[in-house]
Amino acid sequence: IWKYVFEPQNYIVSSSHDLQKYKMDIRKFKAFPSLNGEIQWYRCDKCGRLTANNINNVCPTFNCKGTLKKYDPHEEMKDNHYKNLYQSMQISKMKIKEHTAQLSTKTAKEYQEQFIKKEINVLSCSTTFEMGVDVGELETVFMKNMPPTPANYIQRAGRSGRKKDSAAYALTYCRLSSHDLTYFNKPKEMINGIITAPKFKIQNKKIIKRHVNAAIIAAFWKKYPELFDRVGTFFEEENFNKLMDFIEHMESDLLSYIHSFVPETERAQIEGWIEELKSENSLLVKERESYLTEIDELETDRKIRFEKRLRVDKIDQYIRKMENQNLLTFLSRKNIIPKYGFPVDTVELITTFYNLDKNYIQSSRLSLQRDLMIAVSEYAPGSEVIADGKIYRSQYIKRPPKQDEIWDSYDFGLCTNGKCGNLNIRRHNTGTKKFKECPICGSKVRYINTFIIPQYGFIISPVIEDAQTKKPEKTYIGEIHYLGDKSELRETKEAKAFRFGNYSVKLQSTSDDELVIINTSDFYVCHKCGYAEADKEKKHNGDPFIEVPNKDMHKTPYGRDCDNKKLYRRTLGHKFKTDVAIITVNDWLDRDKALSILYALLEGVSKFLNIERNDISGTIKYNKISSGDWETRFVLFDTVPGGAGHVRRIGESDENLFKKMLEISLSIVEQCTCGKNSDGDTACYNCLCNYYNQKYHDILKRSYAIDFLKSLLQYKVKIPMQMK
């Protein structure tokens, strides 16, 4: 063969520059398309390799055990978009649909199947597509912003190219934010990032309680299988009384089974959880009351319309829809039994709207749910949600099922002492806005507002528009505040005390400690029907309530005129419990400096514990211990509702382990190369900045954390004049 290519035909000719190198004479070769039937193609049934060479049907790919099969390009590519486009140059219309957790399960499945069948060309998705979704021959993924972590990036980009004969193309658009621009300049850090295995404690009470509920209800259905049917059947009085009786007289075998899967440290609470499940204040009972209240409203209007000889078909249809809801979906959506992922306190933005005077019921195929921590912002009255091509605007805070009940409400105010700034909250007091002195420092507390906990969810406005390119409106939440250091709780927290340099440091950790997050916007709320409007212009700032003129009479969620003329000034908030660790330093640290130190500690702790950085977060708290002495508290907490046990490991550390955490924190900020020419007066994504603390990026400085950590660890540090 070697001689053949040289001697008679000279297919390869010697290079004129180097006799040891050769090149082909391309004039001696002819290329022709293989689609004319002259070549038989083969494809491996395992690796998908395409080849025109076939010896005993063995795949030529090294170590592949696949078998070659005949491949007909004309048949296999008859529906290929690009082949048809470039041969005909006819551009076809693209059908685009949204695929998010906001869709009902049925609708989402329908869109997914249409996408696989190529009846839908593009799916616009939220993070629901990150986990385990196979959408057939998907080749291209566009990300409209840089994902928070490498784990998110891999899950999103990994949706493409999953078939053996498909290519994968992922394109990420970077917004003008510090997070996106950081990885725009250093993309390999997103692709090469380390992904650690998730860790959590099985003692999470939210998880356990919902599994206990599930075990009890499942045993009830095993005894009464005919009641595992639909929501309407399950909530009928006779059937629901059977469940209450079943719980009241629980069999010993079931109780033993529950004890078998509940962690030993939590078994003492089983009896209390069972009592809670059957009590009047249980979630199960409350959700049944809410369901029955809505059915009663509809039935009442149906009767009135029927007597007036008006149409009732829309009401009948919706009653049937409510009664026929999937029972498991309903119970998991209402936080009664477990569902996929960590247990969160989810609430719903209800997209059904009534106008019973006109026999009109606006319903949709959506299931808009959010963690309450996010919902107090994204579902707040006036906020807009884009789902399935429509804009839905929140208008009502759903009331408790009984008319004489009201939402859980809390007054809150800020301490006027600039060094303290403590958030003070109390159960809503209708008698006065005046607070007692701040329990931390004794200063006056300025009343800010009263927040409602919207545990029953929200209802949309009847005005629904087609989605536009403009960004939907929303309100914003403030920072998270720590509540658990009240005097009656402080004594229960065991603290370890260490001496580091000139500082005395205390470590404490607790489970089920309390924090609060509050929406920073004001709303005017009708306590009778739940109607609410955002006070965007702050026209009535400071007033406890306003009178609504008759001409501006608002409607109830059922489309009737509400006869209540009084709207109270309120905002929204959410109290939650999780695991907390407190690092207390015997000095008052300026808040800007304290924030830089806090985020350095969070980076070091997450690296030391080998956990995802986003699994923990933190806030700053101050405490006055004498007339002129203050403490700064770095409050670290698990972002998982109920706690995952991460930060508690800090409180359980001895002096050497805690010192190791400090050393890792110092190494992160000291070895970072950002701001080398500015004495560390900057911060970046390699040290303090991350996706979730973007609002503080302008004030974070490595130098604050470096100086403080060095002084703790007794390293040499240049002390600024003002500190001397």
Side-chain angles (χ1 to χ4, degrees), residues 329-391:
T329 301
F330 180 90
L331 294 176
S332 63
R333 193 174 75 239
K334 300 299 184 180
N335 307 317
I336 296 166
I337 63 174
K339 56 185 171 185
Y340 179 76
F342 270 103
V344 292
D345 297 314
T346 57
V347 295
E348 190 172 4
L349 175 59
I350 299 169
T351 53
T352 298
F353 191 89
Y354 313 87
N355 190 332
L356 299 180
D357 291 337
K358 298 180 180 179
N359 193 40
Y360 172 74
I361 298 180
Q362 166 67 42
S363 186
S364 71
R365 302 189 296 173
L366 300 177
S367 178
L368 304 182
Q369 295 180 56
R370 281 285 186 273
D371 179 356
L372 194 48
M373 187 183 295
I374 301 171
V376 294
S377 164
E378 293 193 2
Y379 287 174
S383 294
E384 296 175 337
V385 176
I386 296 179
D388 205 20
K390 301 290 184 182
I391 297 179

Side-chain angles (χ1 to χ4, degrees), residues 275-467:
E275 287 295 321
E276 180 184 330
L277 180 62
K278 65 183 181 182
S279 72
E280 290 185 359
N281 294 318
S282 76
L283 265 177
L284 181 61
V285 173
K286 288 286 187 185
E287 290 301 338
R288 177 177 180 265
E289 289 174 352
S290 181
Y291 166 84
L292 294 177
T293 298
E294 192 166 359
I295 292 289
D296 286 344
E297 287 273 4
L298 292 168
E299 292 283 8
T300 299
D301 280 283
R302 185 192 186 284
K303 183 178 179 181
I304 294 171
R305 291 186 63 82
F306 186 77
E307 291 173 350
K308 293 180 178 180
R309 298 180 180 274
L310 299 173
R311 289 176 58 187
V312 296
D313 54 319
K314 290 286 186 182
I315 299 177
D316 288 339
Q317 288 174 17
Y318 193 69
I319 290 175
R320 286 196 299 271
K321 180 180 177 180
M322 289 189 63
E323 291 175 339
N324 292 328
Q325 291 179 85
N326 181 280
L327 194 47
L328 285 178
T329 301
F330 180 90
L331 294 176
S332 63
R333 193 174 75 239
K334 300 299 184 180
N335 307 317
I336 296 166
I337 63 174
K339 56 185 171 185
Y340 179 76
F342 270 103
V344 292
D345 297 314
T346 57
V347 295
E348 190 172 4
L349 175 59
I350 299 169
T351 53
T352 298
F353 191 89
Y354 313 87
N355 190 332
L356 299 180
D357 291 337
K358 298 180 180 179
N359 193 40
Y360 172 74
I361 298 180
Q362 166 67 42
S363 186
S364 71
R365 302 189 296 173
L366 300 177
S367 178
L368 304 182
Q369 295 180 56
R370 281 285 186 273
D371 179 356
L372 194 48
M373 187 183 295
I374 301 171
V376 294
S377 164
E378 293 193 2
Y379 287 174
S383 294
E384 296 175 337
V385 176
I386 296 179
D388 205 20
K390 301 290 184 182
I391 297 179
Y392 297 88
R393 185 175 290 104
S394 176
Q395 185 70 80
Y396 298 86
I397 306 170
K398 190 176 181 184
R399 290 195 74 266
K402 295 181 180 178
Q403 193 59 40
D404 58 346
E405 291 184 70
I406 197 65
W407 302 280
D408 279 347
S409 302
Y410 294 85
D411 301 329
F412 66 97
L414 286 176
C415 175
T416 55
N417 186 328
K419 277 195 169 184
C420 179
N422 180 53
L423 180 80
N424 292 261
I425 76 167
R426 67 182 182 201
R427 281 277 178 185
H428 175 51
N429 184 345
T430 57
T432 177
K433 292 193 296 183
K434 189 174 181 180
F435 271 85
K436 295 179 180 178
E437 291 82 8
C438 175
I440 301 296
C441 68
S443 301
K444 290 183 178 180
V445 175
R446 179 172 62 89
Y447 170 81
I448 303 295
N449 203 341
T450 298
F451 71 83
I452 291 169
I453 299 179
Q455 66 265 44
Y456 298 98
F458 303 85
I459 304 172
I460 63 165
S461 159
V463 180
I464 300 173
E465 304 171 357
D466 291 332

Side-chain angles (χ1 to χ4, degrees), residues 224-235:
Y224 301 101
E226 69 278 7
L227 300 185
F228 181 61
D229 183 16
R230 58 197 187 113
V231 172
T233 304
F234 185 67
F235 281 157

Side-chain angles (χ1 to χ4, degrees), residues 76-91:
E76 298 289 340
M77 299 178 67
K78 65 181 180 180
D79 295 324
N80 184 278
H81 168 74
Y82 300 103
K83 171 179 175 290
N84 295 329
L85 173 64
Y86 295 132
Q87 288 191 347
S88 67
M89 295 307 290
Q90 291 182 356
I91 299 176

